[in-house]
Amino acid sequence: MALRLLIMICGLKLVIGKREGFIVGGDYVDSVTEFPHVAVLWIVKTDGYDCFCGSSILNQKILLTAAHCFDEVTKVTALAGSLHRQKGKLHRIDRYRQHKQWDRRTVTNDIALARLKKQWSFGKTVQRVILMRKPPQAKSAEVAGWGITDEDDYSETDLLKHTKQKLWTLNECRKVLPRAPKGTICGGEIKSKKDFASNGDSGSGLVINKKIIVGIVSYKITEVSRSLVVYTNAPYFYDWILVESRRLTCSD
């Protein structure tokens, strides 16, 4: 079964089975103030290739993203405050922390934190996302990212796009994807040719009310559905995020 992580590796698909990630369909974001919590991570891998992931700003020094974004990396920088993925406020990532139980084979605990060497200055274009242990119930959410815009011809854009996602509980998701790990939810439709996350969207935040994070783009199984995306359930990891972000902030 083809399992695709939603990450773009220099135009190549990351293979563990097959794993992939950009917003296909959806709409371009009119103003960065609509998604001021979004930051792009530019990553240099150990093999020398460049790639990128999405992330969400938790506070002035910590970003929340997917664990698989930090596999085999040598250098990471973050950009925020712009709709363009190569513009905005640039900061170096000096430390990161993947979940200790991150399992690349089963895509379990696909969550990580990254620390900026120099903190953001918050304003209209750069803001923190809201993390809640028990967020309000919602039937849909939004995801924004710079991932590929067409999976057939692998076309891409430098500008931020967003789309709505129907929310599925883990139990609902497992009726379609029985192996969806504990600590995940699903978003999207089973059969759709547009409006879903794809390559490059890995680590991007799934939010309700424009600012409350409920998920992190993780993977999809394309043999079952190209449009149903598995998200790490951010509230499920509330305690881990709280403890590890404090440790990361205070570490030398």
Side-chain angles (χ1 to χ4, degrees):
M1 186 169 288
L3 179 64
R4 307 176 95 181
L5 282 175
L6 298 181
I7 182 170
M8 187 176 77
I9 308 258
C10 310
L12 301 177
K13 293 171 186 174
L14 178 62
V15 178
I16 310 174
K18 292 181 184 174
R19 305 186 177 209
E20 76 163 30
F22 261 17
I23 301 296
V24 174
D27 298 297
Y28 286 100
V29 177
D30 293 327
S31 170
V32 70
T33 58
E34 295 179 48
F35 295 93
H37 61 274
V38 173
V40 61
L41 299 175
W42 282 100
I43 300 162
V44 179
K45 308 291 282 188
T46 53
D47 57 12
Y49 285 111
D50 295 335
C51 60
F52 67 91
C53 273
S55 68
S56 299
I57 300 170
L58 276 182
N59 60 40
Q60 290 175 307
K61 290 208 73 172
I62 302 296
L63 303 177
L64 178 64
T65 188
H68 72 260
C69 291
F70 283 99
D71 284 342
E72 302 174 348
V73 304
T74 60
K75 179 182 178 181
V76 185
T77 53
L79 278 165
S82 175
L83 295 177
H84 197 289
R85 64 180 178 179
Q86 298 187 59
K87 297 180 180 180
K89 299 178 181 180
L90 176 67
H91 289 296
R92 176 78 178 267
I93 299 296
D94 65 356
R95 291 207 173 186
Y96 64 88
R97 186 158 294 168
Q98 295 168 296
H99 196 288
K100 287 185 177 179
Q101 277 74 53
W102 156 235
D103 189 318
R104 187 179 177 87
R105 181 181 60 84
T106 61
V107 206
T108 304
N109 303 308
D110 190 11
I111 188 169
L113 297 170
R115 187 182 76 176
L116 301 172
K117 186 174 182 179
K118 181 181 178 181
Q119 69 181 25
W120 301 118
S121 295
F122 283 173
K124 291 183 179 180
T125 61
V126 179
Q127 295 276 342
R128 65 182 293 272
V129 77
I130 295 174
L131 174 69
M132 301 177 68
R133 188 189 299 274
K134 293 183 178 181
Q137 291 187 344
K139 294 182 179 180
S140 66
E142 284 185 283
V143 60
W146 287 272
I148 60 173
T149 56
D150 191 311
E151 292 184 343
D152 293 322
D153 62 13
Y154 218 78
S155 58
E156 55 183 87
T157 176
D158 285 326
L159 299 177
L160 187 66
K161 298 189 75 176
H162 71 107
T163 190
K164 287 186 177 181
Q165 297 276 272
K166 173 187 173 182
L167 293 179
W168 302 50
T169 65
L170 178 57
N171 288 336
E172 291 170 336
C173 187
R174 281 178 170 170
K175 293 177 182 179
V176 180
L177 303 174
R179 296 183 181 179
K182 188 176 181 180
T184 62
I185 57 175
C186 284
E189 302 287 346
I190 297 177
K191 294 182 179 181
S192 177
K193 294 183 179 180
K194 61 179 182 177
D195 302 337
F196 53 88
S198 188
N199 290 89
D201 288 320
S202 280
S204 297
L206 182 69
V207 298
I208 59 175
N209 299 333
K210 290 289 186 181
K211 57 187 177 182
I212 301 172
I213 189 164
V214 294
I216 303 164
V217 176
S218 182
Y219 74 94
K220 61 185 175 184
I221 301 178
T222 55
E223 289 180 1
V224 176
S225 173
R226 293 176 67 177
S227 52
L228 185 63
V229 178
V230 179
Y231 292 84
T232 301
N233 184 339
Y236 177 87
F237 290 96
Y238 180 91
D239 290 329
W240 181 88
I241 294 170
L242 195 66
V243 171
E244 296 302 326
S245 61
R246 285 175 178 170
R247 287 177 178 172
L248 198 57
T249 300
C250 299
S251 62
D252 294 330

